[in-house]
């Protein structure tokens, strides 16, 4: 019931200028007062439990009573100014007696605000104090001396447009502040990681809702550690080294690369999903044969689960990649109904570079694939296709 009354009161507040503009010829002022008073009374139990709720409820009920028993039509226009005055008082007093209103709202979702965020919420509270003061004054001037149409346009459209611009501008600034807050510990963590023998270079960033993260360019020792210990072992070791004596400096998102991206691209890389396919380095085709040079990313998604302590590319992915890479190049389907001569002769690990040879025989409707690394065979098979695509 309370949530419904809150929603109805919010809708009435937003549409109030238009309700007054179109409803004054059909609904009397006392009825307006009784309806508003009834809505505020339904909210009374919740307001009485909130700081400052008692005087806010008392003032609005007095205003509604004046409307209900005084019946002066002109008083209807002062409702937006009254609400602005109440909000101005609430926000202003919170600055004096603390904590600021915006800080209270922020701590509902983030109880442990850092000092820089607390200072930011205080400044935002001051912005809203200024807005409520100016908006309430402008609304009052129009209520007393302006035409009803001007008053309706200002309170029903212009004021909410300004509020929307404030909300949007504050959201943009908040995201920048959030990135700076989350990235600051990562800068220190990146400096600590640079001294680790497994790391060539590191760059901290922010992965949005996933939290702070780290992009690491692995050295030769780091690549060897990845092969020996897997992604989980690498993250555990580097995470402890990155944090140092501050557990809050532990990155939550990790990406492993050959070379660090540009600083402006670090956040985008951290937000992106782990790659699921190999990197195509080059290719050429001769008739029905296509040769493709591939590199396995260091943080290929499957390596996190396929033997976590000793990552290996699954054989089923090798078959799947062959079908997927052949389809746009040789016009073959992405599925097969049987395999002949399937051989797995060598393991493929993170960072390996391989050459994939695809040969399509339209007459027998077969696709032959062969992976080779350093001229040594890795895997091969003849795939019997369901059909061919033009």
């Amino acid at each position: 019931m309370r949530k419904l009354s809150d929603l109805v009161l919010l809708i009435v507040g937003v549409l109030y200028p238009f309700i007054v503009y179109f409803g004054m010829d059909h609904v009397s002022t006392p009825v307006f007062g009784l309806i508003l008073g009834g809505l505020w009374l339904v909210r009374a139990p919740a307001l009485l439990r909130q700081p400052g709720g008692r005087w806010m409820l008392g003032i609005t009920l007095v205003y509604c009573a004046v409307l209900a028993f005084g019946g002066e039509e002109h008083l209807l226009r002062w409702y937006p100014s009254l609400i602005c005055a109440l909000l101005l008082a609430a926000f202003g007093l919170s600055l004096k007696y603390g904590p600021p209103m915006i800080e209270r709202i922020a701590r509902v979702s983030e109880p442990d605000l850092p000092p820089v965020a607390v200072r930011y919420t205080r400044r935002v509270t001051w912005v809203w104090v200024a807005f409520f003061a100016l908006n309430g004054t402008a609304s009052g001037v129009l209520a007393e001396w302006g035409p009803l149409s001007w008053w309706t346009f200002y309170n029903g459209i212009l004021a909410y447009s300004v509020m929307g611009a404030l909300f949007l501008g504050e959201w943009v600034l908040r995201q920048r502040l959030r990135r700076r807050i989350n990235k600051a510990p990562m800068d220190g963590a990146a400096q600590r990681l640079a001294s680790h023998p497994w790391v060539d270079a590191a760059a901290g960033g922010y992965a949005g809702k996933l939290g702070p993260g780290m992009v690491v360019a692995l050295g030769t020792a780091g690549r060897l550690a990845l092969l020996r210990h897997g992604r989980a072992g690498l993250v555990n070791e580097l995470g402890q080294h990155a944090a140092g004596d501050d557990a809050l400096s532990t990155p939550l998102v990790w990406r492993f690369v050959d070379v660090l991206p540009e600083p402006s691209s670090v956040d985008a890389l951290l937000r992106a999903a782990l790659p699921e396919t190999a990197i195509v380095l080059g290719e050429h085709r001769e008739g029905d044969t296509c040769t493709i040079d591939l590199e396995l990313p260091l943080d290929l998604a499957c390596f996190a689960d396929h033997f976590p302590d000793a990552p290996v590319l699954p054989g089923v992915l090798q078959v799947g990649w062959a079908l997927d890479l052949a389809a746009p190049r040789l016009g073959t389907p992405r599925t097969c109904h049987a395999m002949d001569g399937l051989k797995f002769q060598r393991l493929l690990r993170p960072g390996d570079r391989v050459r994939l040879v695809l040969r399509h025989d339209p007459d027998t409707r077969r696709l032959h694939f062969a992976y080779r690394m350093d001229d040594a065979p890795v895997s091969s098979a003849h795939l019997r296709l369901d059909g061919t695509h033009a």
Side-chain angles (χ1 to χ4, degrees):
M1 183 65 179
R2 183 175 64 84
K3 291 183 178 180
L4 179 60
S5 67
D6 289 348
L7 178 61
V8 172
L9 194 60
L10 176 63
I11 294 174
V12 170
V14 172
L15 299 179
Y16 184 83
F18 301 101
I19 294 174
V20 171
Y21 184 83
F22 293 105
M24 288 179 63
D25 295 335
H26 308 284
V27 181
S28 65
T29 300
V31 173
F32 270 112
L34 290 174
I35 294 174
L36 278 177
L39 291 173
W40 280 95
L41 282 174
V42 173
R43 285 200 64 199
L47 285 171
L48 293 176
R49 293 193 296 269
Q50 298 176 4
R54 292 178 180 273
W55 56 263
M56 183 177 291
L57 178 64
I59 292 174
T60 53
L61 289 179
V62 168
Y63 171 79
C64 293
V66 171
L67 289 179
F69 296 103
E72 293 189 17
E73 192 175 89
H74 187 72
L75 290 176
L76 288 172
R77 300 195 199 182
W78 283 90
Y79 182 69
S81 295
L82 173 65
I83 298 301
C84 279
L86 293 174
L87 292 173
L88 172 63
F91 277 64
L93 290 174
S94 74
L95 287 168
K96 181 176 181 180
Y97 299 104
M101 189 65 70
I102 299 299
E103 180 183 342
R104 298 180 193 177
I105 297 172
R107 287 190 184 277
V108 173
S109 57
E110 299 182 45
D112 300 322
L113 289 178
V116 62
V118 173
R119 292 192 294 271
Y120 171 78
T121 58
R122 186 173 187 85
R123 290 195 295 268
V124 174
T125 303
W126 271 112
V127 170
W128 283 106
V129 165
F131 169 77
F132 291 132
L134 294 174
N135 185 59
T137 301
S139 179
V141 169
L142 290 173
E144 186 65 27
W145 294 290
L148 179 60
S149 59
W150 289 15
W151 175 87
T152 303
F153 172 78
Y154 177 82
N155 289 283
I157 297 177
L158 188 57
Y160 288 116
S161 299
V162 175
M163 288 181 65
L166 285 176
F167 276 118
L168 179 61
E170 190 278 327
W171 182 85
V172 171
L173 291 175
R174 188 181 350 129
Q175 299 311 307
R176 292 181 179 178
L177 177 66
R178 189 187 300 275
R179 285 194 293 271
R180 191 165 73 247
I181 291 173
N182 284 277
K183 190 176 180 299
M186 293 302 98
D187 291 338
Q191 293 179 2
R192 288 188 288 272
L193 277 176
S195 65
H196 196 284
W198 293 356
V199 176
D200 271 353
Y206 181 58
K209 294 181 180 179
L210 298 177
M214 188 70 61
V215 179
V216 178
L218 294 175
T220 303
R223 287 169 171 263
L224 184 59
L226 176 61
L227 300 182
R228 289 179 174 176
H229 308 296
R231 180 183 177 85
L234 202 64
V235 167
N236 182 61
E237 165 65 20
L238 295 182
Q240 294 182 23
H241 194 85
D245 297 329
D246 182 10
L248 295 178
S249 296
T250 304
L252 300 180
V253 181
W254 292 85
R255 295 301 301 265
F256 299 110
V257 296
D258 293 313
V259 180
L260 289 184
E262 293 294 326
S264 59
S265 303
V266 169
D267 287 354
L269 178 60
L270 289 170
R271 287 193 295 267
L274 293 177
E276 297 184 353
T277 59
I279 302 169
V280 176
L281 301 177
E283 59 183 279
H284 67 273
R285 178 177 175 178
E286 295 180 4
D288 291 325
T289 301
C290 186
T291 303
I292 308 173
D293 292 320
L294 303 171
E295 180 179 4
L296 277 60
L298 296 175
D299 54 2
L300 193 68
C302 67
F303 289 145
D305 301 314
H306 198 252
F307 305 122
D309 295 332
V312 174
L313 183 69
V316 66
L317 274 186
Q318 297 180 43
V319 176
W321 286 359
L323 288 166
D324 288 340
L325 291 169
R329 294 166 174 83
L330 300 176
T332 54
R334 296 181 183 272
T335 58
C336 67
H337 62 83
M339 291 181 284
D340 297 325
L342 180 62
K343 297 179 182 178
F344 293 106
Q345 298 166 277
R346 186 172 177 175
L347 298 178
L348 289 179
R349 312 291 302 278
D352 283 346
R353 293 190 175 188
V354 296
R355 174 163 291 177
L356 171 62
V357 178
L358 300 167
R359 186 175 67 253
H360 177 223
D361 186 346
D363 296 332
T364 61
R365 292 168 57 182
R366 290 192 178 199
L367 174 68
H368 173 75
F369 77 82
Y371 290 90
R372 300 184 66 85
M373 185 168 59
D374 299 329
D375 294 327
V378 174
S379 62
S380 60
H382 292 279
L383 308 179
R384 285 188 274 173
L385 307 175
D386 294 327
T388 56
H389 295 170

